Amino acid sequence: MKYSFQFPKICHVETRRWLFLLGVLAVTYVLFQSLLLPYGNALRSLLPQNEVQEQFKGSGVFSIHSSAESVMVRNPLTVHSSSDFIDVSMFSGVEKAAGNSGLGGEIGHDRGRKGKDVHKEIDLILEEKGIDNTFANTIHRNVDHNFPSENVVDTNGSLALVSIENQENGSVQDKANVAKYGFPLERIVLPNYETSTENTLKENSNLTAKKSDGVKTGFPSSPLILPAAASLANATNASVGSTSFKSDVVTSKNGSVVMTNPGRKKMKSELPPKSITSIYEMNHILVRHRASSRSLRPRWSSVRDQDILAVKSQIEHPPVAINDRELYAPLFRNVSMFKRSYELMERTLKIYIYKDGNKPIFHQPILKGLYASEGWFMKLMQGYKRFVVKDPRKAHLFYMPFSSRMLEYTLYVRNSHNRTNLRQFLKEYSEKIAAEYPYWNRTGGADHFLVACHDWAPYETRHHMERCMKALCNADVTGGFKIGRDVSFPETYVRSARNPLRDLGGKPPSQRQILAFYAGNMHGYLRPILLEYWKDKDPDMKIFGPMPPGVASKMNYIQHMKSSKYCICPKGYEVNSPRVVEAIFYECVPVIISDNFVPPFFEVLDWGAFSVILAERDIPNLKEILLSIPEEKYLQMQRGVRKVQKHFLWHAKPLKYDLFHMTLHSIWYNRVFQIKIR
């Protein structure tokens, strides 16, 4: 009995011990999991199929691949309501690796509007501080539904939090964080700079050069360069071009010459446009638009409409202003109309700026970098009270002050290849404007305007802002740009917000010994073809690929532009390029090679007076065409570049006829000629 009594007791003791041990293990497991929760599925990341790999490819591209579960950055851009600080998650080590990977930044800075280099993400934060990051870094600008692959870096546990006081633009709006927008800044992306060998140069045999009919009010002087006599198809059998290029050339059904790489899906940016609108056809479109406005009549008339109609007849019948000392007449389609329109704008125009929308997407300008143009316009528009009214009933135009760059930076989910949320965000904004104010509904948005420089802006504003006037850097007639309503907005790369005119000017014509110059990254399908034909082929043609990063390369690039007669401005992923304004900045005659690109301020400027516009198919004959330009004609164009320069400069305080006023005038001018009333 004694032993039988003790046996159950012993069993109870052992059971309690086991239960206690299991309880300790359970508590430990729960605590362990709760600690791991903020960092994602950490245990899964230990499995072989999710192992992080580092690859250093022959091209020098640094990439880190990880699973979808472990790719999220848990420290998005956070804007605190209690201070004027911007906290940004940055790499502590990746930037160094990327900088040493052999990535030559593009000194010409063609806005790689799309999968961003780490340096550019840092630049975005440093822009407003007057701190210069590497000049040569570039932004890869081709993120779309069929974009090139992006190299995504898992930043969990490897971020350094950097706080930079926002000195120039004041405090940042409260609550402009992840919770506000619902779209976290989840990744920092290193773009794949490996250039595809599938590059296309389209020969559109149906388009021939059309001579100007000489009507100055409707057509400018025809651009100097007409399509070359020899087609690209014939040129590929000539001595120009490398053997490797020729071996990949095939002729498509429509006569286009295509460099092929079987087995790889082509992106939109790697293909030439399906149709081409020549500069001559653009002139005809503008004239037709002036004769028959496409603007819808407002639902009800207003006193402001009558104001605009009253000045329209004065613009159409202006006093002669050929000898105006402030304006160089050959630069303009009709200098008298421009001068009269500008004077009436200064006297009449009133603009209401919507207060809706929080920073950073709204009301926060970026004054440096590739998309600085939209920031400078926003800053000057909001700070220059000459045209602004507080009472919207007194306004002729309504400005929606959002930054397309900050929209992309804040809302786009890296490597998602999906921009739907960006367009939806602006759709909801425009719907809010329409619901809270009566002015949008009166005209369907026709008297509203936006200014956007990011490549994605045409997509982001499609449909819901279709009737607005859009000042766009990506002025592509095949991408929805409406000549006569929309404004081609100059893309200017500003490197110093405190001194936007730094390094302005260049050598006189007699000291420009280089015939033509280009250097930059191989964005899009066109630039590789330019290099295939001209890189290291001719001492007079200084055509290079990416220049290495650093101050020395920056100065070398600038000196080449200051010493060249012609600066080649080929399209990148999109039709626009900051090189056009850079060439004007350094007094080098721009040679624009970009089919379907509407040049800036097209409605008032005669680009044939100070630039050369080439069809893409003329690349094989580039030197021949430039040499065929008489010296007298070159000197006239170079003088035109120096005279037009004042119209493409930003100033801390707006000056008459500067870039700010030219942009505002083109918006005003297009509105004057599209307005209708009952």
Side-chain angles (χ1 to χ4, degrees), residues 656-668:
K656 190 173 185 179
Y657 299 130
D658 68 357
L659 206 160
F660 169 75
H661 282 101
M662 290 293 290
T663 303
L664 196 59
H665 173 268
S666 283
I667 295 170
W668 149 266

Side-chain angles (χ1 to χ4, degrees), residues 151-195:
N151 300 312
V152 183
V153 182
D154 184 357
T155 60
N156 290 337
S158 64
L159 302 177
L161 193 62
V162 178
S163 297
I164 300 177
E165 184 176 1
N166 191 340
Q167 299 171 346
E168 294 197 4
N169 296 319
S171 63
V172 179
Q173 183 71 23
D174 304 358
K175 304 178 182 178
N177 50 23
V178 177
K180 174 68 178 177
Y181 299 104
F183 302 102
L185 281 173
E186 297 184 328
R187 304 192 246 315
I188 296 178
V189 180
L190 295 178
N192 187 343
Y193 283 91
E194 293 180 293
T195 304

Side-chain angles (χ1 to χ4, degrees), residues 46 65 71 81 125 140 191 281 553-554 567:
L46 299 177
H65 302 280
V71 78
S81 60
I125 309 304
H140 181 223
E281 292 173 305
S553 287
K554 169 185 175 180
C567 289

Side-chain angles (χ1 to χ4, degrees), residues 76-95:
L77 175 66
T78 304
V79 183
H80 297 280
S81 60
S82 59
S83 68
D84 294 341
F85 286 78
I86 301 177
D87 294 341
V88 181
S89 300
M90 295 182 180
F91 282 110
S92 58
V94 173
E95 181 187 355

Side-chain angles (χ1 to χ4, degrees), residues 324-332 335 338 342 488-490 492 501 504 581 584-585 600-601 604-607 610 640-651 655-666:
D324 189 280
R325 293 184 178 181
E326 295 181 285
L327 298 172
Y328 186 57
L331 300 177
F332 297 89
V335 68
F338 171 78
Y342 190 96
S488 181
F489 186 43
T492 56
L501 304 183
L504 180 67
V581 177
I584 295 172
F585 201 78
F601 311 138
V604 294
L605 290 182
D606 176 3
W607 279 81
F610 58 93
V641 170
R642 287 185 280 115
K643 293 292 186 179
V644 83
Q645 188 183 77
K646 65 186 292 185
H647 304 305
F648 287 87
L649 301 179
W650 293 112
H651 301 277
L655 299 180
K656 190 173 185 179
Y657 299 130
D658 68 357
L659 206 160
F660 169 75
H661 282 101
M662 290 293 290
T663 303
L664 196 59
H665 173 268
S666 283

Side-chain angles (χ1 to χ4, degrees), residues 6 91 103 172 205 271 298 350 352 365 430 471 482 500 578 588 615 632:
Q6 291 180 347
F91 282 110
L103 294 177
V172 179
S205 58
L271 296 172
K350 299 301 178 185
Y352 178 75
S430 60
K482 299 296 189 299
C588 178
E632 183 180 357

Side-chain angles (χ1 to χ4, degrees), residues 613-676:
I613 298 180
L614 274 177
E616 294 175 9
R617 63 177 178 268
D618 290 333
I619 285 179
N621 306 289
L622 182 56
K623 182 179 180 181
E624 177 186 353
I625 293 171
L626 295 180
L627 288 177
S628 70
I629 300 173
E631 182 68 14
E632 183 180 357
K633 176 62 177 177
Y634 164 72
L635 293 175
Q636 290 175 355
M637 289 192 296
Q638 208 274 339
R639 175 179 171 83
V641 170
R642 287 185 280 115
K643 293 292 186 179
V644 83
Q645 188 183 77
K646 65 186 292 185
H647 304 305
F648 287 87
L649 301 179
W650 293 112
H651 301 277
K653 294 182 179 180
L655 299 180
K656 190 173 185 179
Y657 299 130
D658 68 357
L659 206 160
F660 169 75
H661 282 101
M662 290 293 290
T663 303
L664 196 59
H665 173 268
S666 283
I667 295 170
W668 149 266
Y669 193 76
N670 285 351
R671 178 57 182 163
V672 167
F673 281 95
Q674 74 169 346
I675 191 169
K676 286 184 178 180

